[in-house]
Amino acid sequence: MYEEIREQICSHCWHGVERPCPDLVTCLTKGPVCHEDKAAAKARRDITTRLRRDKLTKRIIYVGAGTCGLGAGAGKTLTAVRTYLARRDMEADVVEVGCIGLCSAEPLVDVQLPGMTRVSFQGVTADKVDDLLDKVFRGDLPEPGMILGQFRSDGLTSWDNVNYLDQHPFFAPQTRWVLVNCGIIDPSSIDEYIARGGYGALATTLRTKTRQDVCDAVEKSGLRGRGGGGFPTGRKWKFALAAESEQKYLICNADEGDPGAFMDRAVIEGDPHRMLEGMAIAAYAIGASKAYVYIRAEYPLAIARLKHAIAQAEAYGLLGDNILDSGFDLHIIIKKGAGAFVCGEETALINSVEGKRGMPRPRPPFPAVRGLFDKPTVINNVETMANIPGILARGAEAFAAVGTEGSKGTKVFALSGKVSRTGLVEVAMGTTIRTVVFECGGGIPKGKKYKAVQIGGPSGGCIPTQHLDINVDYESLKTVGAMMGSGGLVVMDEDTCMVDVAKFFMEFIQRESCGKCIPCREGTLRMLEVLQRITRGRRAEQGVEALERFQGVMYLNRLAQVIRDTSLCGLGQTAPNPVLSTLRWFRDEYEAHIFERRCPAGACSELRTFVIDAEACTGCGNCKPKCPTDAIVGAPQRIHYILEEKCIGCSGCFDACNHGAVHLAELVPVAAAAPAARDESDAVVGVFSKGAFRDWHDGRGLIRE
Ligand SMILES: Cc1cc2nc3c(=O)[nH]c(=O)nc-3n(C[C@H](O)[C@H](O)[C@H](O)COP(=O)(O)O)c2cc1C
């Protein structure tokens, strides 16, 4: 497929790096423009139609082969598809596409037969391939559970009784600008991108717009940076445009360090040319001739696709010297990062690209004035870049028509956690969190209750039930102590302990702090210690230790403010957010941990104990060897018991029991102190009855199922 679109159509034209044609993209997509030749125009149209798969001569099988798909077994599915075709000596194109967004349904396989619309199937593991292809090639369909939906296409016959993909609850609320091609086109084919209008915005920009025009258009669109801060992109570009320098740089930030975030990776894996086109337009707008993509080395597939895409774009004269004969040069270099979270911070990132240790620098001067190698530098996120071609192609007004007053366009979220459908969701700004979680995500699995969604990663906060109807936009989210961040959206159910969540983020931040400034290095460690103390079991705590524990909690708020106000970079400045947010919305959980030594969600292992339901226990003994502290007693075929004082709440017995006999005992303290078991015969911690409260037989407390 590669280079197909560039085939010489007639004797008049030839495009290439050596002889760049300013009309290349128009010529490729709309037919030859330099001369009137009906045959050539038809040949060009035919190629484009085929590349857009509007007309097929051969069957096509698409396999979702992004990192998420491959993780779900798409590699084996691909092999099974190829084996199927080879064994039957059948002709079909096999296309590896990126992720369409519904990661939880992977491996995804789409089949398109000539004249018919493309149908998408979910959960296609290797063992299901033969049966699926047998049926679909015969014109039948597999069981409805496997069918995700069919694509809408004018001029193609649709399948009976198959819903359209855009009606699927996951896709229906979405508005796709950035992900429009992801999972649909072959990311390794520049031809397919061009055939769908790709590089058209760059061509028009270079031909018809001044740098100032481009900056104005982006400013007018209202686009704000998608990397977390939400700074107006057009304004940032104007600072760099105004800076006088013989050399300027553009950096695309693909570090993506937030836990739970995978939007940027998916965009690069699924549609790398969109980001490259955005970068080329951005570089032109600010006058940069050299650009970097800073991407973590843990993204090997994204890096490979990016390398390939850059090489293709250079071969087409869409990157490199004298792009489309415009006099504009742009060379893009991939810079791999080692995956330190702080390297996503723009000044640390600059240090890292310069070959120094990734530590932040004080600002001002801002990078747009003095950045990489002390030259004016614009740093933008992958999603920000991927929005640019759409803005230039469809117009600033069209982009600004989507979203809210202060937040225009769409936002891509990586939806994960306790939600039925996980994956990438792109919604218009202003969509509610409820829509994202309960419509796109399909709500909370196993009949559990929603507790919160954590948004914005370590810099963000939680959104509790009472604020589920809040709009996704930069300002609204701040009113509830959360923030947009880069797009990680982790859903939590009733089994999630919010103190544990705060501890998780603080551990992350503490580990990732570069250590340059004291408030961040020491302050986050102190915060972590406070959280560790309140989630720890009683052990042999002395009075003074108890006092320290309470004191730490009392100072938590003040400590948070000091860290926020005095840290050098955004990492420290936002580090206390998850703690402050959970404290604000889930104070009762903190209090249960601090005053009652109880974890209401049953998640903090040191604060929980397991019990065995005597009625359900079969005496199989599966649980016993799984207990690392020998807390389980009981003879074979006899009821087993857990010694409370030995139980460390690891849940090994719970996981091992096939009879549902092991339960979490949520201890409600009573005035009487529990006497310690004297020996095994005295070690019966409770008689357990399903769905009921029961007094402990020895009066030590209550056990709640
Ligand atoms: C600790 C820290 C980590 C960050 N990580 C990223 C990142 O992985 N990707 C990103 O685009 N921005 C990240 N940012 C924000 C960038 O510093 C910068 O604001 C952003 O790349 C600018 O691009 P935008 O205007 O398009 O959002 C991070 C900021 C901080 C403080």
Side-chain angles (χ1 to χ4, degrees), residues 350 354 361 366-377:
I350 286 170
E354 287 174 352
R361 309 169 179 177
F366 288 94
V369 178
R370 212 162 85 211
L372 188 64
F373 305 117
D374 287 336
K375 304 291 182 204
T377 303

Side-chain angles (χ1 to χ4, degrees), residues 52-54 100 110 112 115-120 149-159 162-168 171-172 184 196:
R52 291 176 55 87
R53 309 197 197 279
D54 294 340
I100 198 165
D110 300 357
Q112 191 178 354
M116 300 286 292
T117 58
R118 172 172 168 180
V119 201
S120 191
Q150 61 181 321
F151 289 67
R152 261 179 225 277
S153 309
D154 289 341
L156 295 179
T157 309
S158 43
W159 292 77
V162 175
N163 283 338
Y164 288 103
L165 212 54
D166 55 24
Q167 294 171 325
H168 189 288
F171 296 102
I184 293 173
R196 288 174 181 264

Side-chain angles (χ1 to χ4, degrees), residues 225-227 236 253 256-257 341 344-346 379-381 384 570-571:
R226 302 296 196 240
K236 193 192 278 189
N253 190 344
E256 195 159 65
F341 177 58
E345 195 281 336
E346 53 190 18
I379 301 177
N380 275 132
N381 167 261
T384 314
L571 187 144

Side-chain angles (χ1 to χ4, degrees), residues 250-301:
L250 175 81
I251 301 179
C252 182
N253 190 344
D255 191 52
E256 195 159 65
D258 286 24
F262 48 92
M263 307 78 51
D264 297 346
R265 186 190 71 202
V267 169
I268 298 174
E269 287 179 0
D271 194 10
H273 286 288
R274 179 168 298 271
M275 184 191 86
L276 293 179
E277 187 183 1
M279 285 181 71
I281 295 170
Y284 169 74
I286 63 165
S289 58
K290 203 163 180 185
Y292 290 83
V293 180
Y294 188 83
I295 182 165
R296 52 183 47 227
E298 290 106 315
Y299 282 0
L301 183 62

Side-chain angles (χ1 to χ4, degrees), residues 74-157:
K76 288 183 184 146
T77 302
L78 258 170
T79 310
V81 167
R82 293 202 169 106
T83 310
Y84 175 95
L85 296 172
R87 221 185 288 132
R88 287 163 177 77
D89 201 16
M90 273 184 182
E91 281 251 352
D93 281 337
V94 180
V95 181
E96 293 180 40
V97 293
C99 178
I100 198 165
L102 190 46
C103 305
S104 53
E106 305 259 21
L108 291 169
V109 171
D110 300 357
V111 184
Q112 191 178 354
L113 307 179
M116 300 286 292
T117 58
R118 172 172 168 180
V119 201
S120 191
F121 303 98
Q122 58 185 333
V124 189
T125 42
D127 55 312
K128 296 187 181 151
V129 166
D130 287 12
D131 189 45
L132 172 75
L133 295 183
D134 276 347
K135 281 194 175 125
V136 180
F137 287 174
R138 254 196 339 253
D140 293 337
L141 287 170
E143 77 265 21
M146 256 183 111
I147 306 169
L148 205 58
Q150 61 181 321
F151 289 67
R152 261 179 225 277
S153 309
D154 289 341
L156 295 179
T157 309

